[in-house]
Amino acid sequence: MENFEPVIVAFCCHYCAYTAADMAGSMRLSYPANVKIVRVPCSGKVDSIHMMKALEKGADGVLVAGCLEGDCHFKSGNTKAAKRVTFVKKLLEEVGIESQRLAMVTMSAGMGTRFAQIAGEFTQAIRKLGPNPVCAGRGTCATAKVA
Amino acid sequence: MITAERKPLAEIIDSIDGCRRIVLAGCNECVTVCAAGGRKEVAMLASALQMDFMKRGKTLEIHEMTLERQCDPEYVEQLAPFIDQVDAVVSMACGCGVQEVVRRFKSKRVYPAVNTKFMGASERPGVWAERCHGCGNCLLGLTGGICPIARCSKRLMNGPCGGSSKGHCEISNDVDCVWQLIWDRMKELGIEARYEDVIMAKDWSTERGGGPRKIVREDLQ
Ligand code: SF4
Ligand code: SF4
């Protein structure tokens, strides 16, 4: 458990979070390698089933990262994503999986520092929660754990 | 459409807890439109069940299938090739669909995964409201096209009652008084004189009062 390194899947909108992650890189800000980025055209493109599948397949935490309120490139994708995240969180509670494993965050393309900070804080929060109980029950996990 | 809502996960899990393999069967019609039991909801429920079983160190094999219409025998037949390999069928269709699966597969356990609610319409995205009780003798022609049977809390044939206030029903400010709606609509159509016509006591034998109903069309048999 002490050596537990969580795997975080971050669905990042191309127009903000993905660029922000890129910027974090060019600013030479380090953020945990635990965060695996999946680029999406809009956070609104992230369906409830994508969040569920990520956790079912063994991710320890899932981030949906979209644009700041009112700034969505497609008008309302980020608010739709936020509603879906709330919906899936409720379902996770029903399954008995900590809903904190899923979170919606917002940022603009220029916020490299914010991206790095969120990535660090979320990874830390999931580290504290421990491994995804789905993996614990299965005994093995699709994700790489540091021994 | 017939509307439905997913049952609490705990109830669904409870019904299939002893199972190793199930078919999770959705329906492409009403329950797809009201986002309760279509392909997407089947996938979501399958994933949730999977996580629950894995979390407890158990395994569950789920065969996801969404039939074109679960209330029609020719589509229910599509379950036949899989039925012997599973312990139970969990159906996300309305109660009609569930019962068609039961009728076809006599020795298989079948469990509902949704609560069937009412016949309704989608008012706006994410909101469905009751519209018709299938009374078997439609009187919409007398009421400006708005149904007092399904939409008046007291099923009054000649309303409103004394509880109608500022367009709301006395049971809640979130419920429109249907007799207000009927009056407004008649005025709009210029037929408010008809409002005074008394609607006679309804013969409920065409509704559930006459027992389970059936429609027989000999020309189609
Ligand atoms: S009058 Fe009867 S058939 Fe017509 S909408 Fe109302 S309940 Fe349905
Ligand atoms: S207030 Fe209107 S809708 Fe409510 S019970 Fe009375 S007549 Fe029916």
Side-chain angles (χ1 to χ4, degrees), chain B:
Chain B
M1 81 192 80
I2 294 175
T3 60
E5 270 180 326
R6 178 176 57 76
K7 280 182 175 290
L9 201 61
E11 188 184 335
I12 303 169
I13 291 166
D14 202 40
S15 56
I16 57 160
D17 210 27
C19 300
R20 301 288 306 267
R21 283 188 219 96
I22 60 165
V23 166
L24 185 54
C27 174
N28 253 338
E29 300 279 350
C30 307
V31 287
T32 291
V33 186
C34 70
R39 186 174 315 186
K40 201 158 158 178
E41 292 73 33
V42 164
M44 286 293 284
L45 178 59
S47 182
L49 290 175
Q50 210 57 268
M51 283 197 228
D52 174 83
F53 272 65
M54 285 197 277
K55 189 167 63 74
R56 295 183 288 135
K58 292 178 146 200
T59 53
L60 178 68
E61 220 175 278
I62 305 175
H63 186 72
E64 298 175 34
M65 259 185 112
T66 299
L67 308 181
E68 199 52 39
R69 257 198 311 282
Q70 222 177 103
C71 54
D72 253 338
E74 49 265 61
Y75 297 111
V76 172
E77 199 54 40
Q78 291 169 352
L79 293 174
F82 309 95
I83 210 81
D84 288 336
Q85 299 142 39
V86 297
D87 305 315
V89 177
V90 176
S91 166
M92 295 199 89
C94 72
C96 312
V98 176
Q99 292 180 69
E100 269 313 284
V101 178
V102 167
R103 187 166 76 99
R104 169 63 181 84
F105 304 106
K106 304 231 165 2
S107 56
K108 193 59 57 180
R109 286 185 281 159
V110 184
Y111 298 108
V114 302
N115 289 323
T116 304
K117 306 288 266 201
F118 50 79
M119 280 192 271
S122 97
E123 279 188 348
R124 53 179 194 277
V127 178
W128 295 271
E130 188 153 30
R131 288 288 183 264
C132 171
H133 278 187
C135 73
N137 190 6
C138 191
L139 47 77
L140 287 178
L142 303 176
T143 57
I146 298 172
C147 176
I149 296 170
R151 298 171 69 181
C152 168
S153 307
K154 293 175 185 153
R155 283 188 155 196
L156 290 183
M157 293 297 154
N158 299 280
C161 71
S164 178
S165 160
K166 297 195 183 101
H168 302 300
C169 172
E170 64 177 335
I171 66 157
S172 160
N173 268 347
D174 298 333
V175 178
D176 291 326
C177 169
V178 79
W179 277 101
Q180 180 72 54
L181 297 179
I182 293 171
W183 168 252
D184 292 345
R185 167 99 173 142
M186 284 185 161
K187 242 178 35 188
E188 186 73 31
L189 296 175
I191 54 168
E192 62 263 50
R194 281 215 220 149
Y195 190 83
E196 306 253 312
D197 297 345
V198 173
I199 301 178
M200 288 303 161
K202 195 168 168 62
D203 172 5
W204 291 106
S205 67
T206 59
E207 207 222 28
R208 282 281 299 141
R213 296 169 284 179
K214 207 174 236 184
I215 297 170
V216 180
R217 281 273 306 268
E218 265 156 26
D219 58 318
L220 296 176
Q221 289 180 6

